[in-house]
Amino acid sequence: MDIVTIVLVLAIFGGLLMAFSIGANDAANAMASSVGSRAITVKQAVLIASTLAFAGAVFLGANVAATISRGIINPDMIPDQNILMLGMLSALLSAGLWVLLATLFGFPVSTTHSIVGSILGFGFVAGGPEVVRWGTMVGIVLSWIISPFFGALLAYLVFSHIRKKVLSARDFVRNAKLWAPFWLAMTVVLVMTSFLLKMPLGKALGISAYAIFGIACAVAAVVWGIGYLVVGRFLHGVEQGPESMEELFRRMQIGMACYMALSLGANDVANAIGPVAAIWVIARTGGLAATAEVPLWLLLFGGVGIAVGVMVLGKRVMSTVGERITLLTNTRGFSVGFGAATTVLMASNLGMPVSTTHATVGGVVGVGLARGFAAVDFRVLGKIVMYWLLTVPIAAFTSIVIYQLLRWSVY
C-alpha cells in the first residue's frame, strides 16, 4: 500500500472522528434551549437531533464543497502534495480531538474555529507565516466578540418585547392575539430565508436576494393572518396569565430547533469531510483545486458520524448551555433560538465567519440578563469563554505536533 492510500484511509477515519465530535458538541446549538426550557426531554432532543442532522448531512449537504484550506492558507506555496495531505490529515485529527475533549468536559466550542486553527498550525510550520491568510484570522478573532454580543442583544430584545407586550400585559388575551402571530410569522420567515440563503439545496435554487425579500414579506403577511385565527382559537376561554403563552411558544420553539438540527447536518458536515475531500482530490489529481467534489458515500459517512456523536455524547453540552448558565422557559428558549439564528444569518450574508455556538451561548446570556445579573452564572460563562479563546491556539499546536510526527514517520 503506497503512502497516498494510507493517508487517504487515515483521513477517512479522521473525518469520522471530526463528524462524531461535531454531532456531540454542536447538538447544543439546536437543542440546548429546548431541553433547558423543558420543551422536550434530553432523550427526545437526542432522537430529533440525530435523525434530522443525519438527514441534513446526506440529503441537503453540499456535494461540492470549497476546500477549507484555501480560505486559511495558500496551498500553492506548499508545492509538495504529500506535505499537503499530511497537513490536512493532521488538521482533521487535531480538530476532532480538541472538540471531543471539550465535549467530554461539557463545554461548547466552535468546530469551524477548531478546523481553522488546525490548518493554520500545519500551514505555519510547513510553509512559513507568509502562507497564512491573516485577514481570515482577523475576521475569526472579531467573531469571538460580534457573534455572542449580537446573539445576546437580539435574544434580550425579543424576550423583553414578549414579556412587556404579552406576559405582563393587562389585556393579556388581546395582546397575545396581536403579537404571538407576529413572532410566529417572523419565525417562519427566518427559517425560510435561512433555507434559501444558507442551505445548499436553497442556494441551488438560485433565487435572488430581492426575490427572497419579497417572498418573505408575502409569507409573513399570510402567516400572521393564519396565526391570528389559530392563536385566537388557542386562547379561546383561557384565563388571564402567561402559562398558556408558554405552551404556544413551546411549539414554535420545537419547530425552530428541528430546523436548526437539519441545518447543522447540512452545513457542518463540510467541516468534517471537507479536508477528506481535499485529500481525495490530491490523491486523484496530484493537486488541490479551489473546490472539491464530495462523493455521496462521504456525505453518508459524515452523516452517520454526526448522528452517532449526538446520541453518544450530545447531552453533555446540551446540559451546560441549556441548564447551567441561566434558567430557561419556553419564551426565553424561543428568544435564544431566534436571536442566534438571526445573528448567524445576517453575519453569513455579510461574509463574516461567526459561530452558531457563540451566538447561542450569547442568546442564553441575553435572556438571563433580561432578569438581572444575578440570573446568570458567570462562573460557567467564564469557563466557556476560556475554551473559546483556547480553541485556535490549542488546535494549531496539536496539529503541529501531529504533523511533525507524521512527517517524521514518512520521510
Side-chain angles (χ1 to χ4, degrees):
M1 189 179 290
D2 59 25
I3 183 61
V4 173
T5 305
I6 293 173
V7 171
L8 183 58
V9 171
L10 290 175
I12 291 172
F13 283 103
L16 183 62
L17 171 66
M18 187 62 185
F20 178 88
S21 301
I22 288 172
N25 201 288
D26 277 4
N29 297 333
M31 294 294 163
S33 60
S34 299
V35 171
S37 63
R38 306 293 188 267
I40 51 178
T41 65
V42 172
K43 287 185 178 178
Q44 290 170 330
V46 168
L47 179 64
I48 292 171
S50 58
T51 304
L52 292 181
F54 174 80
V58 175
F59 299 110
L60 301 176
N63 55 12
V64 180
T67 53
I68 294 173
S69 60
R70 280 193 173 270
I72 303 156
I73 62 172
N74 182 1
D76 296 334
M77 300 179 71
I78 306 176
D80 189 333
Q81 299 306 313
N82 286 341
I83 292 292
L84 264 181
M85 286 199 300
L86 292 178
M88 286 295 146
L89 176 59
S90 307
L92 265 179
L93 295 174
S94 169
L97 288 172
W98 168 245
V99 178
L100 180 62
L101 181 66
T103 304
L104 291 174
F105 283 96
F107 289 102
V109 295
S110 168
T111 52
T112 303
H113 293 181
S114 300
I115 196 72
V116 165
S118 299
I119 293 175
L120 167 72
F122 105 80
F124 194 90
V125 171
E130 60 271 16
V131 308
V132 178
R133 300 186 194 278
W134 293 105
T136 303
M137 294 307 302
V138 171
I140 289 172
V141 171
L142 288 176
S143 79
W144 291 339
I145 303 168
I146 293 171
S147 49
F149 174 78
F150 278 100
L153 179 63
L154 287 171
Y156 177 93
L157 293 175
V158 171
F159 176 65
S160 296
H161 180 270
I162 294 172
R163 182 171 60 181
K164 180 180 179 182
K165 295 294 184 181
V166 179
L167 301 180
S168 304
R170 286 187 177 181
D171 194 345
F172 160 75
V173 174
R174 174 182 172 278
N175 277 22
K177 287 180 180 177
L178 290 174
W179 289 110
F182 170 79
W183 288 112
L184 179 63
M186 290 298 100
T187 302
V188 172
V189 168
L190 177 63
V191 169
M192 188 187 70
T193 308
S194 297
F195 177 82
L196 292 174
L197 290 176
K198 286 208 67 184
M199 298 275 273
L201 181 61
K203 291 178 181 176
L205 296 176
I207 303 175
S208 70
Y210 293 110
I212 291 173
F213 178 75
I215 294 171
C217 290
V219 170
V222 173
V223 171
W224 188 91
I226 295 173
Y228 184 84
L229 299 175
V230 172
V231 173
R233 293 189 62 181
F234 183 80
L235 295 176
H236 181 69
V238 171
E239 296 180 357
Q240 299 284 337
E243 292 77 13
S244 52
M245 286 308 300
E246 293 292 343
E247 174 59 24
L248 179 63
F249 275 89
R250 185 182 76 85
R251 300 181 184 193
M252 294 163 59
Q253 188 184 1
I254 293 173
M256 181 173 287
C258 289
Y259 168 74
M260 291 180 71
L262 197 70
S263 177
L264 162 71
N267 292 305
D268 284 13
V269 72
N271 283 345
I273 63 173
V276 183
I279 294 173
W280 173 267
V281 170
I282 293 171
R284 290 175 58 198
T285 66
L288 187 58
T291 58
E293 293 284 344
V294 180
L296 179 61
W297 65 270
L298 261 183
L299 286 173
L300 190 65
F301 209 66
V304 169
I306 290 175
V308 173
V310 174
M311 287 187 283
V312 176
L313 294 176
K315 63 182 180 182
R316 290 174 181 259
V317 177
M318 280 185 211
S319 173
T320 300
V321 178
E323 299 175 349
R324 293 178 58 193
I325 299 175
T326 192
L327 179 64
L328 292 177
T329 60
N330 297 130
T331 47
R332 293 172 198 156
F334 168 80
S335 304
V336 171
F338 193 91
T342 306
T343 298
V344 173
L345 177 64
M346 293 174 64
S348 298
N349 291 333
L350 294 173
M352 299 181 66
V354 297
S355 161
T356 308
T357 302
H358 296 181
T360 300
V361 172
V364 173
V365 175
V367 296
L369 290 177
R371 296 185 298 126
F373 281 90
V376 178
D377 190 332
F378 284 98
R379 290 176 300 176
V380 174
L381 182 62
K383 292 178 181 176
I384 291 174
V385 172
M386 182 187 71
Y387 271 80
W388 291 356
L389 297 178
L390 291 175
T391 290
V392 170
I394 285 187
F397 178 75
T398 308
S399 177
I400 290 170
V401 172
I402 295 174
Y403 167 73
Q404 295 289 29
L405 289 173
L406 289 173
R407 191 178 180 188
W408 174 77
S409 302
V410 173
Y411 292 97

